[in-house]
Amino acid sequence: MFILRGIPAFIRSDNGPEFIAEIIRNWISAVGAKTAYIEPGSPWENGYCESFNARLRDELLNGEVFYTLKEAQIIIEQWRKHYNTKRPHSALGYRPPAPETIIPMDQRPIMH
């Protein structure tokens, strides 16, 4: 992405440990960008991520106990596919963001 659009002026993030880690701050500085942290407790500054994280927690994580990493990977991937291909999203007129494009056999055009 940097090749097409250049280095961003700022990389916005929350104050999570992955973004205040020294190695990340060094990388951001090395590429020539600056950090722009959102205020703690200000989800309106990062609405898309906060909305997704709330859905992930409410619809999946609060109702599951994972006993192995593999189990977590499989269940989370199933939820991700459902979230993106089947679950209606109000901002999209209650359509999924990436609906499956499989056409049932009886609806396919007949080739002659």
Side-chain angles (χ1 to χ4, degrees), residues 20-21 65 73 78:
I20 59 174
V65 174
Q73 290 171 329
Q78 288 172 341

Side-chain angles (χ1 to χ4, degrees), residues 84-101:
N84 286 324
T85 62
K86 295 189 175 21
R87 183 185 178 282
H89 294 247
S90 60
L92 301 174
Y94 295 95
R95 294 183 315 251
E100 292 180 293
T101 58

Side-chain angles (χ1 to χ4, degrees), residues 29-48:
S29 177
V31 298
K34 295 179 182 166
T35 54
Y37 293 107
I38 65 169
E39 280 294 316
S42 301
W44 52 87
E45 291 186 38
N46 197 8
Y48 294 111

Side-chain angles (χ1 to χ4, degrees), residues 1-79:
M1 202 60 164
F2 289 171
I3 294 171
L4 297 175
R5 299 183 183 211
I7 304 299
F10 293 94
I11 295 178
R12 180 177 301 277
S13 73
D14 62 10
N15 292 295
E18 66 276 16
F19 288 107
I20 59 174
E22 184 176 354
I23 195 165
I24 299 296
R25 287 184 290 151
N26 291 344
W27 177 82
I28 291 170
S29 177
V31 298
K34 295 179 182 166
T35 54
Y37 293 107
I38 65 169
E39 280 294 316
S42 301
W44 52 87
E45 291 186 38
N46 197 8
Y48 294 111
C49 289
E50 294 295 330
S51 176
F52 173 79
N53 290 342
R55 302 272 183 298
L56 177 64
R57 175 137 326 268
D58 290 345
E59 296 175 12
L60 177 70
L61 300 178
N62 285 343
E64 294 288 341
V65 174
F66 304 113
Y67 294 101
T68 66
L69 176 59
K70 191 65 175 171
E71 179 187 17
Q73 290 171 329
I74 291 168
I75 292 172
I76 292 168
E77 177 61 12
Q78 288 172 341
W79 181 85

